[in-house]
């Protein structure tokens, strides 16, 4: 402890006291603070010793040279974990630190704590690990073969290395295909997609009062709270999680921060000092979750007039070494596999499979983009075989109110897909644009254009796989000066949640939005509000805010009646207009001051939960989600026939996300999702070999730049209100990516003259398509 106190003195304070780095002052003067800009007196820097093997037994771990490195203050191994050496997500199969066997390259084995980040990195490199290599497997279908090495924990798997096998059995696909005049069959492959959030993963764990407080860039504070409490053996009430500024998460900061926070927490607990763990970009890309790679096989049948008769799907997702969120990702892929169409006969078999690769997890769209690539490609192939316009084929089969989804759920309200398709046709000038593309292709020798369309549906919220998480709490209070403080349990990460929730609070109170200030997210402020995922913030968290606002508004209005002995009044802006001779105008600040002076309760709690859902896992039938969002996207792509380069020239997007609370932030969500979808379809290839990410950097992994996004992006909204959302709103955030990549892929196929079946459409693949189509 003397060393800790001396280090604290050098840092300028008592152990655990926050200290700001000099270069962080400018950022901290603003509202947002990034985890990497915070420091605490006596703080240590943490670096993980990670596995270099995809599958091996640890014969010996020698940390003698590590501990002898100047500046090192301690090390942590699995034996030092005070609670359970498990990071709980959905299953409890992933160790915090590998105790005896490593299952993927990059798995943490030990932790090093040092006075500086440089010292921690230098020391970690000196760790000596003696491995006994074990057979490894990297392909999901090979992992399911007889005799494959066992990777999955039996407690976390349905059978062998199959973490989960899920099904839909709706109708009789044999009859459906017998009734079909045309059957289209195809297999599709997708690889990893990296989240590419602004700042890498980072946390600081601070021991306080027999408990632990964690500050970090994260999406789901209550997930992190549960994980830290588990590894420390503490009650949840002793663990507090505070979100720092988060520059995008896209799912990558859903489950991974639980692991990182728990790693930092065990160091902080052992040394009784604040511990900071921030990954550099290479380590982040190489060792944290990705979008699941997958192989998807489809058969689609239809009548000559385009009426769908049957869909049969079998797909395999590479989950990596541990379950993390794969069962939930697989389930969403399963539910969305047949697309937003009326199909009387559906059979789906979905598998998530353990391999010796980095564990995959959440990514915007959560298991649906992979199958959307396939089912939208199938629709285009079906249209080609039938000689039908691809947009007309979709319009003919689109779900409408009163129709049933592939899981047998009858849609009773808020189904705007038909309106989305109709508006997308008008907005893009579909028929005229098609004629222009044909004329361009006749005229140009070395360039060719294609028009692509996609239609999608998205189940809002956690769905019947995890209804216990579809809840949210809020606390709203009016201050003595009339300003309003709002605390929520879902996080802002660039999607505009603060703006939208402030608007909902203000509208519920009848006051100007400028009065509302949203507090930093802190797990101690409100009850467990579930994760900030599944496009549920506006819908579920918004209803909790509205609930609190309704209660508080009633109390404020009672105060006005008490103050002025008047039964009625109006509220205009921040002024209460009191009738009489003469009439009076009273500012909200005066009312709030009166409430404070008379000891009135000035706060209100709000609570909301998603509407009931149900699910039969044996058949895959049931009411999977309480509501669905819809979209129709159209992309115009130009392909260079000499280089294979594809570029999106123009884009049109129409969405049904119910009532749009803030059109500006909603449009930003759509345009951002389009950009991310363009990357998924065209440029983002993350190569791996034998379980190792080969080039974990943005030099090799190409995310879209402003030059890759079309200058003209038209975005419109078709509002089909949802009665269970605030003012009729439902989810939006994930849908733009889901729709955009498939529209781009179909446009590439149309331009190249041959079907794209493997993502992404890098120039080499596009040239191959051009050759096939010639």
């Amino acid at each position: 402890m003397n060393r800790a106190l001396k280090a604290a003195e050098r840092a300028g304070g008592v152990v655990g006291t926050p200290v700001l780095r000099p270069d962080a002052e400018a950022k901290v003067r603003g509202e947002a603070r990034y985890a990497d800009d915070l420091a605490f007196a006596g703080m240590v820097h943490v670096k993980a010793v990670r596995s270099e093997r995809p599958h091996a037994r640890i014969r010996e771990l020698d940390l003698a040279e590590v501990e002898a490195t100047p500046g090192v203050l301690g090390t942590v191994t699995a034996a030092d974990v005070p609670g359970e050496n498990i990071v709980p997500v959905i299953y409890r199969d992933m160790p915090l630190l590998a105790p005896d066997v490593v299952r993927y390259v990059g798995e943490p084995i030990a932790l090093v704590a040092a006075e500086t980040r440089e010292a921690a990195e230098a020391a970690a490199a000196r760790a000596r690990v003696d491995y006994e290599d074990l057979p490894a497997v990297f392909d999901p279908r090979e992992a399911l073969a007889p005799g494959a090495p066992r990777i999955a924990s039996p407690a976390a798997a349905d059978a062998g290395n199959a973490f989960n096998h899920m099904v839909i059995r709706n109708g009789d696909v044999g009859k459906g295909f017998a009734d079909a005049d045309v059957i289209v069959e195809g297999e599709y492959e997708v690889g990893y997609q990296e989240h590419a959030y602004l700042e890498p993963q980072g946390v600081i764990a601070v021991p306080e009062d027999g408990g632990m407080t964690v500050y970090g860039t994260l999406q789901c504070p209550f997930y992190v709270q549960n994980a830290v409490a588990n590894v420390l053996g503490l009650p949840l009430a002793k663990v507090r999680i505070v979100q720092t500024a988060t520059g995008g998460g896209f799912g990558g900061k859903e489950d991974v921060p639980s692991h990182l926070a728990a790693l930092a927490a065990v160091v902080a607990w052992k040394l009784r000092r604040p511990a900071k763990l921030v990954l550099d970009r290479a380590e982040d890309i190489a060792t944290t979750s990705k979008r699941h790679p997958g192989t998807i096989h489809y058969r689609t049948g239809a009548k000559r007039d385009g009426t769908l008769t049957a869909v049969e799907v079998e797909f395999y997702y590479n989950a990596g070494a541990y379950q993390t969120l794969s069962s939930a990702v697989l389930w969403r892929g399963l539910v969305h596999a047949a697309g937003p169409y009326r199909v009387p006969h559906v059979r789906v078999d979905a598998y998530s499979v353990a391999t010796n690769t980095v564990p995959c997890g959440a990514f915007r769209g959560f298991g649906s983009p992979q199958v959307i690539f396939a089912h939208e490609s199938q629709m285009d192939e079906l249209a080609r075989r039938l000689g039908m316009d691809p947009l007309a084929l979709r319009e003919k089969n689109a779900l409408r109110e009163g129709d049933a989804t592939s899981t047998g759920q009858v849609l009773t309200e808020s189904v705007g897909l038909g309106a989305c398709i109709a508006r997308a046709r008008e907005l893009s000038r579909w028929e005229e644009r098609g004629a222009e593309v044909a004329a361009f292709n006749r005229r140009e020798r070395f360039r060719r254009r294609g028009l692509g369309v996609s239609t999608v549906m998205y189940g809002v919220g956690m769905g019947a796989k995890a209804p216990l998480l579809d809840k949210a709490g809020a606390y709203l209070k009016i201050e003595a000066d009339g300003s309003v403080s709002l605390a929520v349990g879902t996080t802002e990460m660039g999607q505009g949640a603060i703006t939208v929730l402030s608007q909902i609070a203000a509208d519920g109170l009848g006051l100007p939005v400028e009065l509302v200030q949203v507090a930093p997210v802190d797990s101690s402020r409100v009850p467990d509000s579930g994760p900030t995922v599944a496009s549920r913030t506006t819908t579920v968290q918004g209803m909790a805010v509205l609930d609190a606002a309704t209660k508080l508004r009633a109390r404020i209005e009672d105060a006005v009646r008490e103050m002025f002995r008047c039964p009625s009044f109006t509220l205009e802006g921040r002024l209460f207009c009191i009738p009489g001779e003469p009439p009076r105008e009273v500012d909200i600040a005066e009312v709030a001051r009166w409430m404070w002076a008379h000891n009135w309760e000035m706060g209100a709690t709000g609570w909301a939960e998603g509407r009931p859902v149900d699910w039969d896992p044996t058949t895959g039938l049931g009411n999977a989600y309480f509501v669905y969002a819809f979209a129709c996207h159209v992309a115009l792509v130009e392909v260079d026939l000499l280089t294979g380069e594809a570029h999106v020239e123009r884009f049109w997007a129409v969405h049904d996300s119910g009532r749009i609370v803030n059109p500006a932030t909603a449009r930003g969500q759509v345009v951002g999702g389009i950009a991310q979808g363009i990357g998924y379809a065209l440029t983002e290839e993350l190569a791996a070999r034998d379980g190792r990410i080969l080039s974990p950097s943005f030099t090799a992994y190409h995310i879209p730049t402003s030059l890759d996004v079309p200058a003209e992006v038209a975005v419109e909204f078709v509002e089909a209100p949802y009665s269970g959302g605030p003012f009729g709103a439902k989810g939006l955030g994930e849908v733009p990516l889901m729709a955009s990549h498939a529209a781009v892929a179909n446009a590439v196929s149309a331009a190249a003259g041959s079907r794209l079946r493997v993502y992404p459409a890098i120039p080499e693949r596009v040239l191959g398509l051009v050759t096939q189509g010639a």
Side-chain angles (χ1 to χ4, degrees):
M1 183 57 73
N2 288 338
R3 292 178 71 184
L5 289 172
K6 288 178 181 178
E9 289 171 2
R10 288 196 299 273
V14 178
V15 173
T17 303
V19 176
L20 297 178
R21 293 186 348 212
D23 61 345
E25 288 182 4
K27 291 181 181 178
V28 173
R29 278 198 294 269
E31 293 183 1
R33 299 186 181 190
Y34 292 91
D36 202 26
D37 293 327
L38 293 178
F40 289 79
M43 187 177 74
V44 303
H45 294 261
V46 181
K47 180 72 175 179
V49 175
R50 296 183 179 273
S51 170
E52 288 294 321
R53 308 295 174 85
H55 196 199
R57 193 175 308 282
I58 301 172
R59 286 174 172 161
E60 183 182 5
L61 174 62
D62 184 356
L63 300 177
E65 290 188 35
V66 173
E67 292 168 343
T69 303
V72 169
L73 301 173
T75 59
V76 171
T77 66
D80 297 309
V81 177
E84 185 183 13
N85 185 38
I86 289 292
V87 181
V89 186
I90 297 174
Y91 293 81
R92 306 178 70 88
D93 63 324
M94 184 167 68
L96 178 69
L97 294 167
D100 46 19
V101 174
V102 292
R103 292 177 173 83
Y104 68 95
V105 174
E107 183 166 7
I109 298 171
L111 301 167
V112 181
E115 292 178 347
T116 66
R117 183 169 180 165
E118 294 75 16
E121 290 174 349
R126 301 178 71 182
R128 298 290 177 263
V129 186
D130 182 19
Y131 298 101
E132 175 192 343
D133 287 322
L134 299 173
V137 62
F138 310 107
D139 178 84
R141 287 193 279 197
E142 290 178 8
L144 294 178
R150 183 65 184 259
I151 311 303
S153 165
D158 286 351
N161 285 323
F163 277 138
N164 297 103
H165 173 207
M166 299 179 184
V167 304
I168 291 177
R169 301 288 187 264
N170 190 354
D172 180 350
V173 292
K175 180 181 184 306
F177 285 118
D179 292 342
D181 296 311
V182 175
I183 297 173
V184 171
E185 190 165 359
E187 187 161 289
Y188 305 86
E189 292 183 17
V190 294
Y192 289 121
Q193 187 179 19
E194 167 62 29
H195 300 90
Y197 25 66
L198 288 180
E199 77 286 342
Q201 304 274 357
V203 295
I204 301 173
V206 182
E208 294 176 348
D209 302 322
M212 190 67 63
T213 296
V214 176
Y215 302 84
T217 171
L218 49 90
Q219 291 181 230
C220 307
F222 300 100
Y223 282 9
V224 178
Q225 182 188 33
N226 184 47
V228 171
N230 190 67
V231 300
L232 296 182
L234 292 175
L236 290 169
K238 284 283 190 179
V239 177
R240 175 173 161 249
I241 310 300
V242 181
Q243 185 211 19
T244 59
T246 301
F250 312 115
K253 293 182 179 177
E254 179 176 349
D255 58 314
V256 173
S258 295
H259 201 168
L260 262 71
L263 291 171
V266 294
V267 173
W269 190 260
K270 180 177 179 179
L271 300 184
R272 307 309 302 166
R273 296 176 62 165
K276 182 175 188 176
L277 174 56
V278 177
L279 304 186
D280 62 32
R281 186 64 70 175
E283 186 178 15
D284 195 309
I285 294 175
T287 67
T288 67
S289 69
K290 311 278 174 280
R291 189 185 298 285
H292 290 67
T295 301
I296 308 109
H297 189 92
Y298 264 77
R299 290 179 74 211
T300 309
K303 292 284 193 180
R304 286 190 181 88
D305 67 355
T307 302
L308 294 175
T309 61
V311 168
E312 186 173 37
V313 189
E314 182 176 275
F315 67 93
Y316 299 84
Y317 284 173
N318 187 343
Y322 298 107
Q323 267 272 16
T324 68
L325 293 164
S326 288
S327 66
V329 168
L330 187 75
W331 186 78
R332 188 173 281 274
L334 176 85
V335 172
H336 292 77
Y341 307 116
R342 291 184 306 278
V343 188
H345 305 289
V346 178
R347 178 188 176 98
V348 185
D349 285 271
Y351 300 85
S352 60
V353 185
T355 64
N356 292 115
T357 58
V358 62
C360 289
F363 201 125
R364 193 175 190 177
F366 208 75
S368 64
Q370 297 94 318
V371 294
I372 288 170
F373 168 45
H375 74 56
E376 288 304 283
S377 296
Q378 288 286 108
M379 290 297 282
D380 265 28
E381 284 294 284
L382 194 59
R384 183 183 63 80
R385 289 278 303 277
L386 291 167
M388 250 183 113
D389 175 80
L391 189 58
L393 178 65
R394 288 167 170 83
E395 193 166 30
K396 182 178 184 64
N397 292 284
L399 289 167
R400 288 173 168 78
E401 197 168 303
D403 288 340
T405 69
S406 64
T407 70
Q409 179 175 358
V410 177
L411 303 177
T412 59
E413 65 166 323
S414 190
V415 186
L417 180 58
C420 285
I421 295 172
R423 184 58 188 137
R425 180 189 294 278
E426 295 170 355
L427 193 63
S428 66
R429 296 188 299 114
W430 175 260
E431 286 82 7
E432 294 175 52
R433 195 75 57 186
E436 291 172 3
V437 166
F440 178 92
N441 292 342
R442 288 192 298 269
R443 183 175 68 248
E444 296 293 329
R445 183 179 178 188
F446 300 115
R447 293 182 297 161
R448 192 175 294 150
R449 288 183 172 177
L451 203 58
V453 61
S454 70
T455 49
V456 301
M457 63 186 287
Y458 178 80
V460 178
M462 306 304 293
K465 185 73 168 66
L468 72 165
L469 296 176
D470 245 339
K471 56 194 173 189
Y475 180 67
L476 193 64
K477 65 172 178 173
I478 186 166
E479 306 288 358
D481 63 356
S483 60
V484 177
S485 297
L486 171 62
V488 296
T490 52
T491 58
E492 172 66 70
M493 47 191 165
Q495 81 274 40
I498 288 177
T499 301
V500 168
L501 296 177
S502 296
Q503 284 184 259
I504 292 172
D507 201 272
L509 291 170
L511 295 172
V513 70
E514 293 79 11
L515 292 177
V516 181
Q517 177 67 39
V518 180
V521 174
D522 182 328
S523 63
S524 66
R525 294 183 189 271
V526 296
D528 186 338
S529 297
T532 311
V533 300
S535 302
R536 61 184 291 274
T537 298
T538 298
T539 312
V540 182
Q541 182 68 80
M543 286 300 286
V545 171
L546 189 58
D547 183 44
T550 301
K551 294 173 184 174
L552 185 56
R553 180 172 184 165
R555 198 171 302 138
I556 292 169
E557 291 179 349
D558 285 345
V560 174
R561 294 186 186 97
E562 183 77 14
M563 288 173 68
F564 300 102
R565 306 295 178 185
C566 62
S568 63
F569 50 84
T570 59
L571 177 58
E572 298 178 8
R574 55 184 295 151
L575 297 176
F576 289 90
C577 302
I578 314 298
E581 290 298 335
R584 297 185 58 184
E585 291 184 345
V586 181
D587 192 90
I588 183 62
E590 185 177 339
V591 178
R593 182 69 182 177
W594 185 93
M595 293 175 67
W596 180 86
H598 289 77
N599 295 336
W600 279 45
E601 185 179 359
M602 300 180 71
T605 59
W607 186 253
E609 56 184 308
R611 287 182 172 177
V613 289
D614 59 80
W615 179 256
D616 179 358
T618 60
T619 62
L621 302 182
N623 298 310
Y625 293 95
F626 53 73
V627 73
Y628 295 84
F630 300 91
C632 180
H633 282 198
V634 176
L636 175 64
V637 169
E638 183 172 301
V639 168
D640 187 315
L641 301 181
L642 299 179
T643 67
E645 293 174 285
H647 187 266
V648 182
E649 298 292 321
R650 295 194 66 177
F651 207 99
W652 301 267
V654 183
H655 283 256
D656 163 32
S657 285
R659 176 77 179 276
I660 299 300
V661 176
N662 188 297
T665 59
R667 186 182 190 282
Q669 282 280 67
V670 173
V671 174
I674 290 169
Q676 211 166 24
I678 289 171
Y680 188 40
L682 297 185
T683 66
E684 298 185 33
E685 184 165 52
L686 192 62
R689 183 182 302 125
D690 297 335
R692 187 185 304 273
I693 304 296
L694 297 181
S695 300
S697 76
F698 290 145
T699 301
Y701 184 77
H702 302 141
I703 59 175
T705 69
S706 59
L707 297 178
D708 298 304
V709 179
E712 294 185 57
V713 178
V715 177
E716 288 196 10
F717 298 97
V718 172
E719 296 186 330
Y722 168 51
S723 61
F727 313 111
K730 55 186 182 181
L732 170 65
E734 311 206 37
V735 189
L737 180 146
M738 293 164 50
S740 60
H741 71 91
V744 171
N746 281 335
V748 169
S749 295
S754 183
R755 175 58 46 190
L756 175 69
R757 297 188 185 275
V758 179
Y759 267 5
I762 57 175
E764 295 90 333
R765 289 196 181 106
V766 174
L767 282 177
L769 297 177
V770 171
T771 301
Q772 292 173 31

